[in-house]
Amino acid sequence: MIRIINTLQVASASLVAAATPSAEGVIRAPEIDYVAIAPEAILVLGALAILLKKGFVPRRYRMMASVATGILAICASLIATGILWQRLADGAAGTAVSGILAVDGFAVFSKVLFLGIAAFAILLGVPGLRRERIMREEYPALVVLAAAGMMLMAASSDLILTFLALELFSLAFYVLAAFARDLPRPQESALKYFLLGAFASAFFLYGVALAYGTAGSTNLTSIADFLGRGSIPWIFVASMALILVGLGFKVGAVPFHMWVPDVYQGAPSQVVGFLASGAKAAGVVALLRIYVSAFHAARPSWLPVIAGLSIATMAVGVVVALVQSDIKRLLGYSSIAHAGYLLIGVAAATPAATSASLFYLVSYAAMIFGAFAIVSVVSGKGDGFTRIDDFAGLARRRPMLAAAFTVFLLGLAGIPPTAGFIAKFVLFQAAVESGLWWLVLCGAVASVIAAYFYLRVIIVMFVREPEGEDLDSDEPDPITSLGMGLAIGITLVLGIIPQALMSVLAGADLVMPGL
Amino acid sequence: MGKWVFLIPALPAAGAALLLMTRRIREPLAGWLATALVGGSFALSVAAALEVAKAHGDERRMVVSLGEWIAAGKFRAGFDFLVDPLSIVMILVVTGVGTLIHLYSIGYMHGDPRFSRFFAYLNLFAASMLVLVLGNNMILMFLGWEGVGLCSYLLISFWFEKDTAAAAGKKAFVTNRVGDFGFILGTLLLFANAGTLTILGGPGGGLLSAAPAMLTSGTITVATLLLFLGATGKSAQLPLLVWLPDAMEGPTPVSALIHAATMVTAGVYMIARLGPVFSAAPATMWVIATVGAITALVAATIALVQTDLKKVLAYSTISQLGFMFAAVGVGAFAMGIFHLVTHAFFKALLFLGAGSVMHAMNNTVDMRNFGALRKKMAVTWATWAVGWLAIVGIPPLAGFFSKDAILAADFEHGSAGKAIWLLLSLTAFLTSVYMSRATYLTFLGKARWSESEYHPHESPKTMTIPLIVLAGAAVLAGLLGVPKILPVLAHWLEPSVGEVHEPFGATQIVLLVIATVLAVAGIFVARAIWMGKNASERGDLLARLPGGASLYRFFENGWGIDPLYRLLFVKGGTAVAGALKWIDTKVIDGAVNGVARLVRGGGSEASKAQTGYVRNYALGVALGALLLIGGFVLVQIVTGG
């Protein structure tokens, strides 16, 4: 880590030098556009407030205060994002803060998505963690910090900032993965996640350095200009590969997927929904921003690799999921497969594919949050019951839970009338439009296979007799029920009237530089 | 056409929503409510039919739009319904037969603990099926397509306490996924080349005119073959027929409505709906006709040796669907739809008759335990007899006209068409044999059940009234298509399926006579075998012929299709998955371990165990990075960058 930080310091120093040319050699501070950074800044301030207030708030109110502060920060940030959106509507898309922060429809929409994910993380995480008696005051702080990092992933227009954002949300995630700190398994998987994540980040950073070495800048606009001018140097090719390692790790693409099932199994179910939707969405928006937009001129070079990555990811995800016996590992492998589908959207590299990917991320987030909320309820204390067999007879014990889980599983399988179907369809359709029918063929085969393992869980819930004693722990509390209801609502509404979101995506003008 | 057309699927959809959300509505109110809603849809369908009838020529094809549904990039799909003669026929059948079967179910499901849930699913099914047939774009059609599939699985495994019912639902689901994969890919391929998924209207006039004009013959062949794969899944044709016989685990009204009259005909409907697109791919058309004819024959031979009454009807359905495909495959869309309509009546009738028998016989379905039931159940027997003679093709019942229209249409199409005609004629003879066998074993002959154990009785009015109405329809529906004199249906369908050629002359009369002789001969053959003195012992006469025993077993095993699939996909699939898991954990990790050992210059076993996963995983990341760099380099070299 120290080495990474050193490298970072050197790199950022050179960045500052590069970004602020001045005739007299005096370094001028970049002009800061406070409205543009407000959404993230508010979240960071909120997190600081949560962490610092320990000394001021009486012990018995601390938990309540930190949750309230977290919610407040998310709401305030949402308002700030709304103001930013309003500014966009007036036609002021561009970059801010010396060109390192993009202010465009893509960034603003992604910010709303990540704020939604953070809101879900608090809504479903807090009651769940309290039930498990592992709730800590830092949880809301970690959630809002992660959200700030993920939002910057989408908005960053400079590879250095992307790296900082990546580390910001990843560090929060490492801690969340170890949240059940008294159990050995979470500790092991969290440590593994942390070490591998740091390792992958180092690759990313090395890629950034190589990009700087060839293109002379880490700024995405400058890199796009550089690539647009002509042939691509070999070093830059290596840089694209290394950046892809870092982002591929975050989305859980094969062969950087080993952490996914371990972490999903090890981390408390209450936070896995957040890890799953957040890390995937953050990785995908960065891929879209960097490869689809900035590296667009180099698409002939990266397309075969990303397509191959997508095929391998879908294949391993769906096939290995077939033989899982633990529901959390099953959802882990399923999320690997979903990373593969999302890479199809990256490979397609058109505005239509970009909006389709964002639609996919929204619906995926709702479904995976819902699915893990149910797992957290059914698995009981200490995630003791996460075998698929533990779901036997759920339809008789808790019919509503079983019905809700069925909706989420059908959604993940991509069956109408759920959002999962529409998401997959528009994504595939955009890919076919850009000539990637062979990739869509692989995606379609993968989703046929995938339907089988989702169905297996449904069958177990509805058909098999419950094993062992009746658990009374699996009664969801009102707030968790509310969260699940919201997730079901999103899954079904987007499946039946997708236009509600699609017109927003169409109006958000997602076109980024280079597209 | 007004926007009220949307009420046709909306009424049963509302019923489903209501019944699923509240638990207050119980037996019998839930049943009557659901029936009334589908009945309301039927009334509206009649009104729509009258409105279409008032228009002339191309004006009979109306698009009713409720607004935009999905718009992404260049892709547009409206919430549009296509109301035309073809969809009118379908909605009349779906709501008409649907209402009767809803009514029948009130009696049949009496006392079931999940009574209202059953009607919720039935209503949901009706709504989905109506969306399927009315949808004016492929996505809306697919929404209905998946909706009916979902209801089908839910209803097949309705009695999920039975392991077999649960397994049957799963099988239907998985098999249909394979078909859906074809449907979606075909749809995407059409969109990629024609730029639209609207069936009629919109850019380029919709798929019906844009697809034949803009697609190369290769592309359109592939696209239509993929769509046909979807049709074989839903309509249980080769190679995806395996799920339908198992689907008989569901309640009998479900078998009648979904697995005989409506849902399984969706494949035929889809091909007729996209008629001009399919017609532009002659190779696909021959595949469809051939698959249909072969499926018809295979299924008929299997039906011949079943002992389960409902299984006989299930294989019979597959066989009759094969007839329909053999019709649409030679471009005789009107004849395919005609048979679809008559089959909906007489097969629903036969299934409901079988349900009535089961109701009376403590849910027994084994025909070896039946016999002489005609005395105990007069209405059931009389209506069954109508259905039996209709499917066999005795004039002037419905099946006679519709089946002969198909035979004549195939005969018209060159030597290949004559071969299909021959297969279908043989199938028609076998149909007569197996249906007569079922009739003799169930209703006629000696009773093979004891009075002490069974108390057969006629079913309640809610069950017999639908039987009577359907029997009437099975008698009269043939009048829709009397060749030459009264080609009502063909004429009605012309705006949708194009001009219908139905030559009628000496050849056709000879064909009619041949078909009738074969049908009558089949009845007599069956009578000779199964009505003799020791009928039950001679029941498997085939088994006593030289080499017959193995043939019998072959048919009984369904031509070995099920065991083959189990071997290939269930066992093979598990093996592949196991291998991949092994590769994922052992080979990838193993390779990483190996490299790790190399790097360390061969550390001791103990230290290997202690270094554990993380270092090796990290090495995996590093190897993956090398792989990516290698990939990029390879691409650079290949593209000469």
Side-chain angles (χ1 to χ4, degrees), chain B residues 164-527:
Chain B
T164 44
K170 184 166 153 182
K171 192 167 175 182
F173 180 86
V174 172
T175 317
N176 269 296
R177 291 311 295 168
V178 179
D180 296 344
F181 155 81
F183 190 107
I184 275 292
L185 282 185
T187 301
L188 285 170
L189 202 56
L190 283 181
F191 176 75
N193 290 281
T196 180
L197 284 180
T198 307
I199 292 172
L200 183 76
L207 276 181
L208 294 186
S209 45
M214 293 168 74
L215 270 66
T216 62
S217 64
T219 316
I220 203 162
T221 305
V222 174
T224 48
L225 277 176
L226 285 166
L227 288 175
F228 177 57
L229 179 65
T232 59
K234 197 108 294 180
S235 299
Q237 298 291 292
L238 281 170
L240 299 178
L241 57 75
V242 289
W243 65 272
L244 187 58
D246 291 27
M248 296 301 123
E249 292 291 343
T252 304
V254 170
S255 311
L257 178 62
I258 301 184
H259 304 120
T262 54
M263 183 192 83
V264 289
T265 62
V268 180
Y269 167 76
M270 187 258 287
I271 292 172
R273 173 89 284 165
L274 301 175
V277 183
F278 277 85
S279 299
T284 308
M285 292 295 268
W286 280 116
V287 171
I288 295 172
T290 314
V291 167
I294 294 176
T295 309
L297 182 66
V298 168
T301 59
I302 303 173
L304 207 52
V305 298
Q306 298 298 314
T307 52
D308 177 330
L309 180 58
K310 280 184 77 181
K311 286 266 167 80
V312 174
L313 295 178
Y315 280 107
S316 161
T317 302
I318 297 175
S319 177
Q320 296 295 311
L321 288 164
F323 271 88
M324 296 173 211
F325 280 104
V328 295
V330 293
F333 301 114
M335 285 76 184
I337 296 296
F338 182 26
H339 198 56
L340 186 161
V341 173
T342 60
H343 176 258
F345 293 139
F346 62 69
K347 189 51 71 64
L349 168 62
L350 289 169
F351 264 114
L352 296 187
S356 181
V357 169
M358 286 165 64
H359 198 70
M361 297 291 284
N362 307 348
N363 282 322
T364 311
V365 281
D366 194 330
M367 295 187 296
R368 287 171 298 191
N369 296 333
F370 293 161
L373 286 174
R374 92 191 126 93
K375 292 171 203 144
K376 300 281 180 186
M377 325 176 63
V379 179
T380 305
W381 155 242
T383 52
W384 171 281
V386 171
W388 161 46
L389 295 175
I391 190 174
V392 165
I394 300 298
L397 298 169
F400 168 73
F401 292 105
S402 59
K403 191 175 60 188
D404 282 314
I406 292 175
L407 288 169
D410 278 308
F411 196 80
E412 285 294 300
H413 278 74
S415 49
K418 292 200 174 51
I420 287 175
W421 171 83
L422 199 66
L423 281 178
L424 293 183
S425 296
L426 180 59
T427 309
F429 170 71
L430 291 176
T431 308
S432 174
V433 177
Y434 71 70
M435 280 312 302
S436 307
R437 167 177 175 261
T439 306
Y440 289 131
L441 289 180
T442 306
F443 289 99
L444 305 169
K446 280 187 299 193
R448 292 181 299 283
W449 42 272
S450 64
E451 293 274 2
S452 58
E453 215 177 320
Y454 295 100
H455 311 283
H457 51 85
E458 189 54 271
S459 299
K461 280 254 168 8
T462 50
M463 290 169 72
T464 50
I465 289 171
L467 286 175
I468 294 165
V469 176
L470 282 170
V475 175
L476 297 176
L479 296 179
L480 291 172
V482 181
K484 200 77 177 169
I485 313 159
L486 208 60
V488 184
L489 193 70
H491 184 68
W492 167 257
L493 285 173
E494 266 177 353
S496 299
V497 301
E499 212 174 313
V500 178
H501 303 282
E502 203 175 8
F504 193 76
T507 326
Q508 281 70 31
I509 292 175
V510 173
L511 292 179
L512 271 181
V513 172
I514 294 176
T516 312
V517 168
L518 283 173
V520 175
I523 296 177
F524 279 102
V525 169
R527 189 185 157 80

